[in-house]
Amino acid sequence: MADVTLYHWEPNANSGKPMLALVEKGVPFQSRYINMLEFDQHRPEYLAINPQGTIPAMTHGDRVLTESTAIMEYVNEAFDGPALMPADAQDRWRIRWWMKFMDQWLGPSFSMIGWSAFVGPKVREKDPAELEAAIGRIPLPERRRAWRKAIYGQFSPEELAESRRRVALGIDMLEAELGKRDYVASDTYSLADINVFNSTYSLPVSQPDLASVEKTPNIMAWLRRVYRRPAVKQTWAMGTTDLAKRYGLVMEELGE
Amino acid sequence: MSEAILYHGEPNGPSLSVLAALEESGLAIECRPIDLLKGERHRLPGITESVALDFAVEGEGPVLVIGGEAMTEAVFLAQYLDEQAGGCGLQPSDPYAHWQMMMWCRQVTERLSPAVAWLGAFAHAQAPLAAMDAGEFAALSDAIVSEDLRQRWQDLRDGAGDEAKSEDSRAKIAQFAERAEGQLADGREWLMGSFSIADLETYAWLAPAALLEPAAFGGKPKLAAWMDRVRTRPSVQRALARAQTDDPLRSFAPGPEINRWG
């Protein structure tokens, strides 16, 4: 058995990035499911692995790695298997640019909307005292503030409107990008595709007014290409919630 | 390589780290100074692909134009220069050491640089921007594609301060100075052991931070010695020599946004 262990939630957003990168590289790993909806990531057992309490995290031998995009870059460099970064320096720059744009500008908007629509209502079904105790276990004060907002749905109308603006603009930018090339940021499937796919794989069902065969043909054609990859199918089969079920819905939408 | 031009602001923050990385790489790329606070970055000639310029997360920084494509984000430009030069020693080859360097740089770009840019812009860019003629500012503003970046320019001109953000920024600078002193505690010469992009990127923001928040740097002998080592490195000296003004470390324009999640 490989000495790689991945601590992850669903194949979705940040957790899905290293999951898919490992599967694409053909690296066997032990999967440890961290249930974000139960706040497993702030329990002492997990904080012993990653004191920041963020998911995903990966151990490789005695090395501990955090931050999903950085973990993917490590996976690509440390293991044999198909290259997930092209050789050309300008392509590599473009891939990094798109990943940062996703991770810092567009991704937080997707997650604000995802939290207000999906995760927030789900966790608010819990006992209020239990929720407060869970918030109290979050190590970083700034993360505690962000989680409190997310858990209680305290996003202002302005914040949500700004997130919606960014999501709409980001989808337009991605549509334009995929009109230039078959894959995000380069002509070959790369870490940028894995990164972007994890935040956009369900767009045709979650944002049908923004992404559809008529409105975003380039995104739909790209989704079809990525969905067909065996590693994607294998990774999404590891999902356990409704999020992963969207996979099947999108496949239907794509006519696959 | 098709025609390449590096448009850069005063050697401070992202322009400083990229100019120094270019010197380290030895690549022959023409450098052209621009005035970031006049919005010149948004009116560059000969650009056919502007997405990365228009929506740069780091805000106003240097732009490397190659084959008509505008390339931005200081850390990635430094990586590009290193890789285009066939590896000039700015990135560790061991994957784990590389991961550590990238994680360090992310701490700089996500925590330190927004804090320094916020305080620096208020201290040094707000007054000249507020004094700008309305027509000139309107023309500048109109050239900015990104709505959120345009808003940061407007807020700065209006002097729309936010004491909570300023206080948080001061705290982040103090934490980072502490963190750097701790990283150097074992007597290492450079932050990651061997010299890397992390040294350039960190110095580029800590040098102006030390002028803004001197108290955060007191009693940190290892940090002071390291800052001296980076400052006197030939590549950094040559980058600083490109200054058009007497005081490049006080030259600012709107930088990255402060994390929206708080």
Side-chain angles (χ1 to χ4, degrees), chain B residues 8 21 29 44 59 69 72 78 104 128 156 179 200 210 230 241-243 250-251 257-258:
Chain B
H8 62 88
I29 291 178
L44 299 177
E69 181 171 32
T72 60
W104 181 277
L156 186 60
R179 190 188 162 118
L200 294 178
V230 182
R242 288 189 181 274
R250 289 189 169 89
S251 175
E257 74 182 341
I258 309 262

Side-chain angles (χ1 to χ4, degrees), chain A residues 90 92-98 100-101, chain B residues 5-7 14 17-18 34 36 41-42 44 47 49-66 69-80 109 149:
Chain A
Q90 197 163 349
R92 294 164 71 85
W93 161 80
R94 202 179 301 106
I95 285 166
R96 291 169 178 140
W97 191 92
W98 270 95
K100 179 174 178 177
F101 180 71
Chain B
I5 300 167
L6 176 63
Y7 295 96
S17 63
V18 173
I34 55 173
L36 294 177
R41 180 172 159 281
H42 299 278
L44 299 177
I47 290 175
E49 174 58 271
S50 67
V51 173
L53 187 166
D54 294 340
F55 296 95
V57 173
E58 77 180 359
E60 302 297 337
V63 182
L64 176 60
V65 181
I66 296 181
E69 181 171 32
M71 302 164 64
T72 60
E73 304 292 347
V75 172
F76 303 156
L77 291 179
Q79 287 185 282
Y80 168 84
T109 56
L149 178 60

